[in-house]
Amino acid sequence: MSERNLDKVEIGRLEIDEQVAIIQRRIAEPLKKERGYTELSPEKKAKVDKILDSIAEMRFKDRSALVEVTASLLQNVAPDLSPYIEMAARRAASAVERKKGVLVIYTGGTIGSAPKDPNDPDSPQIVKPWADLKNAAPQLGALGYPIDAVAFTNPLDSCNVGPQHWKTMVSIITEHYAEYEGFVILHGTDSMVYTASALSFMLLDLGKPVVITGSQVAGIVNPRNDAHQNIITALILANPKANNLPVIPEVIIVFGNIILRGNRSKKMNVIGYQGFNTPNYPNMGVAGEVISVEHKHIRKVPETDLQVLDAMDTNVIVVEVFPGMQHSKILENILRDDTLKGVVLKSYGAGNIPTDPPFLNLFKKFIDGGGIVVNVTSVPEGEVVMGLYETSQVLIDRGIIGGFDITPEAALCKLMVLLGNYSEDLPEVRRLMQQSIAGEQRLSLETTTFTGAGAVKAGEAAVSLPKSPLSSVFEAERIQKAMLRFKNAKFSSGAETYGTINIYLIESDSAAPELLTGFRRAGVTQALVQDAEVGESMTFDVTRFKDRLVAKATTGRVKTTQRISFAVEVKGTEVSFSWDGAELNIYTTD
Ligand code: ASP
């Protein structure tokens, strides 16, 4: 299929659900104001009341069925009401329509599947149209607010959901953003976390809930299923106002009895009703006997408008490191593909990969040619924090960036979205990949770069790095770690074993250098990877001076123009230090 065909997703027209269940409960009110009722005898009124009560309990296919049945039941007792029934239904409907409700986007999945052969429950499941699922879940009408729906014309098993469908979902949401309190996406479980992740990056500064759910058991013919409960919980969370719940302004997954941040979720169970969890993030709430939301784990409703990033570059791949990989040609062949733009590298443990120089250089070559490599851990729980430990320094030196505790699924989607939307600005892609943009990772990295090589010897005056605009971190308490990194650093101390490197801070253009601290370093250290061209960085932990490294701004998160610099001096016999460039790396929490 051509790319163009793939891009076209047909969607069914928006089905405005008139909420017959609500209308039938409200139709009595306008009718009782009509003369055809007020002038009835008390006995007849009692009879009409009984009929109207019974109507409230019945089930109707649509509004005209409601009007028809009501008219025929009232025919004998209150014939004068007949001409007013349609009007009363319309009044009741408009009272409902004034209330904002939820828009359901039905994409398919097990939740809306049923056996292919209706007479053979064991025949393969196929995904059925939205109407079948809606009719099988009459409770939807009892929620008390409008639930409109838009469905994919050909609902999909989620194995077949891809970026073109994400774009469709995003365009439906943006087109109807103002009209609804929230959105529910009904989706298969297989690729659900990818959709949740992609949408979280495509809908930045989201101010309303986008709730994704599906089920393990099909909801159309099975009397025992998890579909109906999941849908109802999703519909409740998507209309917080009507349900007295806090707004979760995020793309979330609701499944079983837990509420999860979408871009932190992983599918953990193929059959269990608790199909998902977020190994690196707490549950955002529980949906048990009551639904409760953990305020401290949800994002704040943004003050800015929704920002839509709807371009997508799919020239990316996930590569998982395994023993022996470094000795085959396969990676080299993959990285040589000139359409490839980004790699999510699933590494061991805390971000480690084999350190054979030729293997590392494959990545370096790819990155030097404009590729992006993001290091994430293949272990479900825990994180990669590159640069905090020396072993991962060799990866940074080759341009690999760290993804902290982001899931590989979210990293892949984020890369697609950023490469799609910032195709002309790779440094911005690299920068944003290392920042939490939708709560997808615990840490963000803010970098202040000091370009240019430098060298200093014992006995010489301190050498200053060029002044640079300080990265925009405004609150010291958000700083988890601050590291000053010298690239391709060479330190020697002649005959002595140790030398001292003093680091000074220069806070503004006019300020004199102020000594922060001194670091003792061995003059001859064994390089982890012997590679003369790349060399190794030397990193100094300056976290304890974090109060000095925050940008001073009075107006919130604006970009700072404040410039800082560091100066370096060395002490000891025959001690010298040189570098090719330096960076201040500040790791912050949200
Ligand atoms: N294959 C199905 C899908 O992802 C599985 C499910 O929904 O649970 O659409």
Side-chain angles (χ1 to χ4, degrees):
M1 223 189 284
S2 76
E3 181 70 24
R4 181 163 312 151
N5 277 344
L6 272 174
D7 269 344
K8 247 187 100 207
V9 183
E10 255 191 82
I11 48 165
R13 65 188 175 82
L14 179 63
E15 196 179 306
I16 307 280
D17 191 333
E18 288 192 284
Q19 287 293 297
V20 181
I22 303 172
I23 299 170
Q24 69 193 76
R25 281 198 296 271
R26 295 179 168 224
I27 198 168
E29 211 179 296
L31 278 180
K32 287 183 183 175
K33 289 191 183 125
E34 295 298 333
R35 258 205 263 152
Y37 177 85
T38 50
E39 289 178 1
L40 290 176
S41 66
E43 296 78 44
K44 284 211 167 162
K45 271 188 187 153
K47 277 192 184 161
V48 171
D49 290 354
K50 225 165 148 201
I51 290 170
L52 291 173
D53 284 349
S54 72
I55 281 167
E57 299 304 317
M58 289 178 192
R59 279 181 57 190
F60 299 97
K61 194 165 101 278
D62 51 27
R63 196 168 83 187
S64 56
L66 161 70
V67 170
E68 210 175 290
V69 172
T70 312
S72 78
L73 289 176
L74 291 175
Q75 184 88 42
N76 295 330
V77 212
D80 293 347
L81 277 181
S82 294
Y84 300 103
I85 294 172
E86 169 65 49
M87 193 193 65
R90 230 180 303 126
R91 279 209 190 132
S94 68
V96 174
E97 274 157 20
R98 272 200 299 276
K99 268 208 229 168
K100 276 191 198 171
V102 174
L103 180 62
V104 173
I105 303 171
Y106 174 67
T107 70
T110 293
I111 195 162
S113 298
K116 191 170 184 180
D117 177 355
N119 301 314
D120 176 8
D122 295 328
S123 62
Q125 300 270 328
I126 54 159
V127 187
K128 306 287 277 183
W130 159 243
D132 294 21
L133 177 58
K134 190 174 96 175
N135 293 337
Q139 318 93 303
L140 300 193
L143 286 172
Y145 40 87
I147 296 160
D148 298 337
V150 58
F152 282 14
T153 309
N154 298 309
L156 298 167
D157 184 296
S158 76
C159 303
N160 295 318
V161 168
Q164 71 276 25
H165 305 103
W166 300 336
K167 285 187 194 175
T168 304
M169 294 177 217
V170 163
S171 71
I172 296 170
I173 292 171
T174 46
E175 192 180 323
H176 299 284
Y177 192 67
E179 294 155 44
Y180 295 93
E181 297 291 349
F183 302 83
V184 166
I185 299 177
L186 302 179
H187 198 287
T189 61
D190 285 341
S191 68
M192 187 181 285
V193 303
Y194 290 92
T195 295
S197 300
L199 263 55
S200 76
F201 305 128
M202 296 169 84
L203 297 166
L204 291 180
D205 289 333
L206 188 63
K208 297 186 174 190
V210 172
V211 190
I212 307 186
T213 196
S215 72
Q216 301 283 33
V217 180
I220 296 180
V221 291
N222 294 302
R224 181 178 172 275
N225 64 64
D226 57 335
H228 295 191
Q229 187 196 307
N230 286 351
I231 298 179
I232 300 285
T233 310
L235 286 168
I236 290 176
L237 284 161
N239 195 344
K241 226 187 250 172
N243 294 292
N244 214 3
L245 287 166
V247 176
I248 307 180
E250 300 197 33
V251 178
I252 57 174
I253 288 182
V254 168
F255 210 90
N257 63 359
I258 45 180
I259 304 166
L260 303 168
R261 176 167 290 168
N263 57 28
R264 294 285 199 141
S265 302
K266 285 191 83 76
K267 183 168 177 178
M268 301 301 277
N269 196 314
V270 176
I271 48 174
Y273 277 9
Q274 220 50 266
F276 296 84
N277 71 19
T278 46
N280 284 322
Y281 198 73
N283 294 347
M284 298 169 85
V286 288
E289 189 188 354
V290 292
I291 296 180
S292 63
V293 173
E294 284 290 343
H295 286 261
K296 61 179 183 297
H297 300 319
I298 65 178
R299 285 166 78 79
K300 288 195 187 75
V301 177
E303 280 158 20
T304 41
D305 288 343
L306 178 70
Q307 196 197 334
V308 183
L309 300 185
D310 56 2
M312 191 81 57
D313 191 331
T314 51
N315 294 306
V316 294
I317 195 171
V318 179
V319 170
E320 181 155 359
V321 171
F322 58 90
M325 159 187 232
Q326 67 273 39
H327 306 306
S328 84
K329 281 255 167 218
I330 297 173
L331 181 70
E332 187 176 350
N333 289 334
I334 294 175
L335 296 182
R336 209 185 274 144
D337 184 327
D338 61 8
T339 60
L340 184 66
K341 300 209 182 119
V343 176
V344 172
L345 181 65
K346 288 176 75 175
S347 57
Y348 298 128
N352 308 315
I353 66 170
T355 50
D356 306 34
F359 180 71
L360 290 175
N361 278 337
L362 294 180
F363 291 109
K364 181 172 183 297
K365 217 166 129 197
F366 174 67
I367 293 161
D368 288 349
I372 294 197
V373 180
V374 190
N375 182 8
V376 302
T377 176
S378 53
V379 182
E381 209 174 316
E383 66 187 351
V384 166
V385 184
M386 288 175 42
L388 284 193
Y389 310 103
E390 235 176 23
T391 42
S392 53
Q393 202 54 256
V394 297
L395 307 187
I396 297 190
D397 289 339
R398 279 149 191 86
I400 297 176
I401 55 181
F404 305 106
D405 58 352
I406 194 170
T407 64
E409 295 90 334
L412 187 79
C413 295
K414 187 172 172 185
L415 205 46
M416 283 191 205
V417 173
L418 295 179
L419 283 170
N421 290 278
Y422 299 97
S423 53
E424 303 300 317
D425 190 356
L426 284 181
E428 186 66 355
V429 176
R430 291 177 64 86
R431 189 182 78 82
L432 291 172
M433 272 314 288
Q434 298 177 90
Q435 305 244 322
S436 162
I437 58 172
E440 72 280 9
Q441 58 199 41
R442 188 177 73 91
L443 294 176
S444 293
L445 172 63
E446 305 274 355
T447 299
T448 301
T449 308
F450 308 96
T451 26
V456 62
K457 287 200 178 93
E460 292 177 2
V463 170
S464 302
L465 304 177
K467 290 198 186 69
S468 286
L470 180 61
S471 67
S472 307
V473 178
F474 296 99
E475 306 93 18
E477 62 278 13
R478 286 181 50 228
I479 297 180
Q480 153 108 17
K481 203 95 183 162
M483 310 289 276
L484 185 60
R485 189 164 76 85
F486 292 86
K487 294 185 221 173
N488 192 12
K490 296 199 176 69
F491 180 72
S492 76
S493 57
E496 292 213 358
T497 327
Y498 288 96
T500 300
I501 299 167
N502 287 332
I503 304 284
Y504 293 79
L505 175 68
I506 307 167
E507 273 188 300
S508 69
D509 288 345
S510 55
E514 179 195 336
L515 180 65
L516 284 186
T517 186
F519 297 87
R520 228 160 78 91
R521 284 288 151 104
V524 184
T525 47
Q526 187 66 45
L528 199 67
V529 178
Q530 304 291 341
D531 185 333
E533 196 197 322
V534 181
E536 274 189 24
S537 296
M538 197 176 253
T539 309
F540 302 98
D541 188 337
V542 290
T543 314
R544 66 200 149 107
F545 308 105
K546 63 184 180 186
D547 288 338
R548 314 291 300 276
L549 305 176
V550 288
K552 293 169 192 66
T554 45
T555 51
R557 302 209 74 190
V558 290
K559 263 209 154 29
T560 169
T561 50
Q562 194 180 324
R563 284 147 56 94
I564 64 155
S565 176
F566 291 89
V568 188
E569 125 194 292
V570 290
K571 297 260 188 235
T573 325
E574 290 175 54
V575 172
S576 67
F577 182 44
S578 69
W579 58 90
D580 279 352
E583 272 180 13
L584 173 65
N585 293 326
I586 300 184
Y587 299 85
T588 62
T589 51
D590 258 355

